[in-house]
Amino acid sequence: MTYKGAGVDIDVGAELVRRIRKMAPGIGGFGRILPHKDEYLVFSVDGVGTKLKLAFETGIHDTVGIDLVAMSVNDILTSGAKPLVFSDYYATGKLDVDLAEKVIKGIVDGCQQSGCNLIGGETAEMPGFYAEGEYDLAGFAMGVVDKDKLIDGKNIVEGDILIGLPSSGIHSNGFSLVRRVLDKSGLSLTDQFPGNDGKTTTVGETLMTPTVIYVEQVLEIISKGGVKGLAHITGGGFTDNIPRVLPSRLGARIFTGSWEVPHVFKWLQQVGKVEDAEMMRTFNMGVGMVLVVSKDASDRIIEESNPAYRIGEVIQGNGVHYV
């Protein structure tokens, strides 16, 4: 099974970005960076994707707001910026106040975890546009970083070390493929998740685990020096996201056995018969944020950030190579 076969073509999305760049130069990074006095403002917008389908089916609505905040603030973080404000868009066919309150509670929780302020949003009631009980979400975040502290990857060199920070699971991308695999498995969302290291969680609870918000941890790491680049591992996995922070003519070598891949990914691959390359281009595989750091700082950062993994190194060439 493939992500494209499940209905999502990453290459088509990349083509759209290429065309937009012609009209609006400067986009395409994890966040849009604009100068303002002695600082840079960093902006990001994102959603939760078809993970919402599982929210509708499981009735778990109080954590998708955390996912929504995480997807934007983690992107802003890759520039070294501290998130300041967050705004949301909630659209539904018929407004269910109790349901919307649960979703907004998750957004508030996410803002508290990331240290930013929820400044308001838009609630759109659109009869006939959504199925009964369904909704869609979008989130908008802005952060700030001093101009002399911007992290842009320009000083990354061959031999720098890639450090991975663990994810909590699937996070908020790849769910079109996840849902196809789930259908093939024959399991229901209320069944116990198989072989889950002895944990008694249902399939639904496992798949709905909220995205890690890395703000506090990563800003602390950055403050001590040595970080040259950061990649938020979302859609596109390692294969497409790590090169976004590397200078031209540099690539990455990933040591695939250097971290423990969570069982949920092993289950997805086994049941869906998903190729290794497809897994690495679709999911985070247990690493939600990658730091590119100087070799001198790598041991200290790993020791102080436990758990953290030395997952690879910067090499001459292009792209990501798995060994």
Side-chain angles (χ1 to χ4, degrees), residues 162-167 212 214-227 230 289-291 293 297-310:
L162 274 59
I163 294 175
L165 302 182
S167 69
V212 174
Y214 294 99
V215 173
E216 183 176 358
Q217 180 185 14
V218 169
L219 288 180
E220 175 68 17
I221 295 171
I222 291 172
S223 71
K224 296 180 180 180
V227 178
L230 298 115
M289 185 72 74
V290 172
L291 288 65
V293 308
S298 61
D299 288 340
R300 171 183 57 79
I301 291 173
I302 290 171
E303 182 178 348
E304 294 178 352
S305 307
N306 187 42
Y309 318 107
R310 186 190 305 266

Side-chain angles (χ1 to χ4, degrees), residues 91-262:
T92 186
K94 183 174 177 56
L95 183 60
D96 180 331
V97 174
D98 292 336
L99 175 57
E101 183 182 24
K102 292 178 181 178
V103 175
I104 302 302
K105 179 187 179 299
I107 294 173
V108 171
D109 289 345
C111 287
Q112 290 174 343
Q113 289 183 35
S114 58
C116 66
N117 296 297
L118 178 61
I119 59 171
E122 165 70 5
T123 301
E125 195 168 19
M126 304 162 64
F129 200 81
Y130 296 92
E132 182 178 353
E134 296 192 355
Y135 55 86
D136 200 7
L137 298 172
F140 311 85
M142 185 195 77
V144 64
V145 59
D146 292 342
K147 285 187 175 179
D148 61 351
K149 295 181 180 178
L150 178 72
I151 295 176
D152 57 13
K154 290 181 179 178
N155 60 344
I156 292 173
V157 298
E158 181 183 6
D160 282 341
I161 303 300
L162 274 59
I163 294 175
L165 302 182
S167 69
S168 58
I170 302 171
H171 282 184
S172 302
N173 66 277
F175 275 88
S176 295
L177 179 53
V178 169
R179 288 164 47 237
R180 288 288 182 91
V181 174
L182 179 60
D183 287 344
K184 182 180 179 181
S185 75
L187 294 174
S188 76
L189 291 167
T190 56
D191 288 334
Q192 291 297 307
F193 191 77
N196 197 21
D197 299 326
K199 299 175 183 176
T200 55
T201 55
T202 66
V203 173
E205 290 168 341
T206 299
L207 300 181
M208 288 298 294
T209 302
T211 306
V212 174
I213 292 176
Y214 294 99
V215 173
E216 183 176 358
Q217 180 185 14
V218 169
L219 288 180
E220 175 68 17
I221 295 171
I222 291 172
S223 71
K224 296 180 180 180
V227 178
K228 299 182 176 184
L230 298 115
H232 184 202
I233 309 303
T234 56
F238 286 8
T239 304
D240 287 357
N241 284 300
I242 292 175
R244 295 169 70 180
V245 304
L246 300 177
S248 61
R249 296 184 295 279
L250 288 180
R253 179 184 291 121
I254 298 295
F255 309 129
T256 54
S258 58
W259 74 95
E260 180 62 33
V261 176

Side-chain angles (χ1 to χ4, degrees), residues 60-117:
I60 300 173
H61 299 282
D62 57 348
T63 57
V64 291
I66 297 175
D67 291 312
L68 185 68
V69 175
M71 294 301 284
S72 286
V73 298
N74 286 343
D75 275 356
I76 283 174
L77 193 57
T78 63
S79 299
K82 173 179 171 52
L84 294 181
V85 296
F86 186 84
S87 183
D88 70 279
Y89 173 79
Y90 179 97
T92 186
K94 183 174 177 56
L95 183 60
D96 180 331
V97 174
D98 292 336
L99 175 57
E101 183 182 24
K102 292 178 181 178
V103 175
I104 302 302
K105 179 187 179 299
I107 294 173
V108 171
D109 289 345
C111 287
Q112 290 174 343
Q113 289 183 35
S114 58
C116 66
N117 296 297

Side-chain angles (χ1 to χ4, degrees), residues 281-322:
R281 199 186 180 202
T282 304
F283 301 111
N284 66 61
M285 300 303 289
V287 173
M289 185 72 74
V290 172
L291 288 65
V292 185
V293 308
S294 64
K295 187 178 292 186
D296 292 342
S298 61
D299 288 340
R300 171 183 57 79
I301 291 173
I302 290 171
E303 182 178 348
E304 294 178 352
S305 307
N306 187 42
Y309 318 107
R310 186 190 305 266
I311 66 167
E313 60 188 0
V314 177
I315 60 174
Q316 287 290 331
N318 294 297
V320 177
H321 305 267
Y322 300 97

